[in-house]
Amino acid sequence: MRVLGVNGWPGASHDGAACLVADGEVIALAEEERFTRNKHAYGEAPLNAAAYCLAEGGLTLDDIDVVAHGWDLPTLFKDRDLDWFADDAAALEHLLPRALFPRTRDPRLTFVDHHIAHAASAYHLSGRDHGAILVLDGQGENESTTLAVGIEGEIKILRAYTPGWSLGYFYAAVCEYAGLGADAAGKMMGLASYGTPQDVTFGGAFGFTDEDFTVGVVPPGLRSTGSTDEETATIRRWLEHLEKTLPDAPNHSVRRFDPRAGRYTRVTDRDPYEYRDVAATAQAALERAVTGLVRGLLRDTGETTLLIAGGVGFNATLNGKLMRMPEVHDLFVQPLAGDQGVSLGAAVWVAAQEGDRIRPMQGSVAWGPQWSPDEIRRVLDASGTAYTEPADIAVATSEILAAGGVSGWFQGRAEGGPRALGNRSMVAVPNPRTTRDWVNVRIKHREAWRPFAPSMQEEAAEALIGTATPLPYMIVTTPVTEAGAEAMPAVVHSDRTTRPQTVSASVDPLYHRLIGEVGKHTGTAAILNTSFNGRDEPVVCSPGDALATFHRLPMDALALGPFLVRRPVGDPANGGA
């Protein structure tokens, strides 16, 4: 069975993506933003992503059995009295037009319930035969939190919460209140550790029990009119409540054109750092609600394995707390937890329903485009960029890092999701602590308090983070050991935790070797790893993207496949140094 999974719809979506699954194995996956360079690909159908996946598989739509969409859009539109297409052929033409996807026949078009797609992405790809499943996001068609169990290849829904009680929308509202923007959950998670939690009920808005929560400021049956979701209405109610109950007024913002950045940027009345206690309180409320849900879910199902998906699943601090719950013996968080992951989930759900055996994830999400050395050389030559071809790119790059440099690292297939995991990364030595400030402020032009994460050889993990449990996806925080805090202060957050990626020689031998070569210089097989992109832009995908970002940002070097580009002495990007 060949399934093309997709997320994204023209004019009404975010995080468009496509995934090709053949006979239960993921062949390709890519996000639309990587091609269009519009972060989150708002309102974009996954045209480039789908075309890439088909090309990677050597297929056309004629060869596809099912196109599986990660939303039940016909039901969603009809429930809200919105117009839908007369038949599936018209819907498929709207999504994947023949002008771009020539075909002699239409594959079957299937619309998968959004939270089922999320759940399938966690359950079917986890490698676990059974487990409790928790889906947390803004909302699906008519639910924002879903509790389920996966067993014997089937997913059984136990109960769900309506969009008005969305923990994702609550968190987004506090992000907006603090001036970060409603889509800045990752920023607020980082900010939270600098603050002190106050009233986690937010003036009685939340009610908590050991295994549940309630929301008093939004009716559970809230339904918007003329819209496909309750996001705007829910966030508005939360903002009205926060303004009445919090001591600090909302941090209003406007968008102004920044000539240096060449685009509109958000400008706030106050520094969002002043809202660190509010952020800490929101994080504590989220953790209390979710740990209660997990406690009840595990009790009801008798499971000790917990599987998580949905956009709230990107909250690594929460995931770390869940991993350390005594009731949780085994945790798998889908690294493509957001809506890009429902392209994957819809595809494997359909494949599993048709009887295919799904091959579980193996520690990597590098299913995107790649370029051969000859193709990269042609891009370099056409750009006029000076470069060398060292005998060993890992050794040459390690020498730059050991000397205090920051390098782009562009190797192999592009990863999916927001985390660069050693294929489209920006890397440095995680010592001294000031490296964090340099990369944040000087290179990535973002807030100085934003945390970074380490990539470490899995053999070094126990000494640095106190556990040998593989953590390949950089999606769970762990405490660091004394040795870890001393060796890598630039990636240790203010709460003495970090968000590690453990790197296996069998999964990514080149990146594993780079880290080892750095360790020969520093004594510690770990590096600072952040995504290879500038502020408010997607992670680089192509060699051209990498070169453009390198020339714009003051990095010292770029390892582009087997080639090494060095910043010339006196280059203005280095301040003339």
Side-chain angles (χ1 to χ4, degrees), residues 179-452:
L180 297 169
D183 61 352
K187 290 184 183 182
M188 195 167 78
M189 180 188 71
L191 179 59
S193 67
Y194 294 95
T196 302
Q198 307 297 316
D199 173 18
V200 295
T201 73
F202 280 89
F206 274 115
F208 298 107
T209 67
D210 285 345
E211 298 183 357
D212 206 349
F213 73 93
T214 58
V215 174
V217 298
V218 185
L222 177 71
R223 177 61 66 96
S224 300
T225 57
S227 173
T228 56
D229 61 54
E230 280 64 54
E231 179 177 13
T232 299
T234 301
I235 290 177
R236 184 179 66 248
R237 287 177 181 253
W238 268 111
L239 289 174
E240 291 170 352
H241 177 77
L242 296 175
E243 193 162 0
K244 293 175 185 175
T245 56
L246 293 180
D248 291 320
N251 192 11
H252 294 299
S253 66
V254 295
R255 298 190 69 81
R256 292 179 184 155
F257 185 76
D258 182 350
R260 287 188 60 195
R263 60 178 179 268
Y264 278 89
T265 58
R266 176 184 290 265
V267 179
T268 55
D269 292 343
R270 300 166 63 184
D271 184 346
Y273 186 76
E274 297 178 26
Y275 290 78
R276 58 193 179 277
D277 286 349
V278 176
T281 308
Q283 179 69 27
L286 176 69
E287 292 170 5
R288 183 163 176 181
V290 175
T291 54
L293 292 176
V294 167
R295 195 174 295 113
L297 174 61
L298 297 181
R299 180 183 58 79
D300 291 345
T301 60
E303 296 285 347
T304 59
T305 293
L306 178 63
L307 314 172
I308 293 179
V312 178
F314 283 133
N315 193 304
T317 302
L318 168 65
N319 295 338
K321 300 285 178 64
L322 298 178
M323 185 174 69
R324 293 186 287 278
M325 288 179 66
E327 298 92 339
V328 177
H329 296 177
D330 179 27
L331 175 70
F332 175 79
V333 182
Q334 170 54 249
L336 302 174
D339 275 11
Q340 66 281 100
V342 299
S343 65
L344 179 63
V348 298
W349 185 82
V350 167
Q353 293 294 110
E354 295 292 333
D356 284 352
R357 185 177 181 84
I358 307 302
R359 183 182 180 188
M361 297 177 68
Q362 301 294 317
S364 173
V365 288
W367 293 311
Q370 61 183 329
W371 284 261
S372 70
D374 285 343
E375 290 169 325
I376 294 173
R377 187 192 297 274
R378 285 195 288 271
V379 173
L380 284 163
D381 289 341
S383 73
T385 301
Y387 63 93
T388 60
E389 188 174 357
D392 189 322
I393 191 65
V395 170
T397 304
S398 74
E399 292 170 352
I400 292 168
L401 303 188
V406 178
S407 180
W409 180 256
F410 181 106
Q411 306 293 335
R413 299 182 72 173
E415 302 106 334
R419 315 286 187 227
L421 299 172
N423 291 41
R424 301 292 186 271
S425 291
M426 192 182 296
V427 292
V429 170
N431 196 0
R433 185 179 181 277
T434 52
T435 302
R436 183 199 70 178
D437 303 325
W438 176 260
V439 177
N440 261 334
V441 178
R442 176 74 173 136
I443 296 179
K444 301 202 80 169
H445 305 294
R446 64 184 204 171
E447 299 86 353
W449 44 262
R450 298 275 294 278
F452 287 115

Side-chain angles (χ1 to χ4, degrees), residues 486-507:
E486 183 178 349
M488 47 183 198
V491 295
V492 177
H493 205 26
S494 60
D495 58 359
R496 194 62 180 269
T497 66
T498 195
R499 179 167 46 88
Q501 175 198 7
T502 59
V503 181
S504 162
S506 62
V507 173

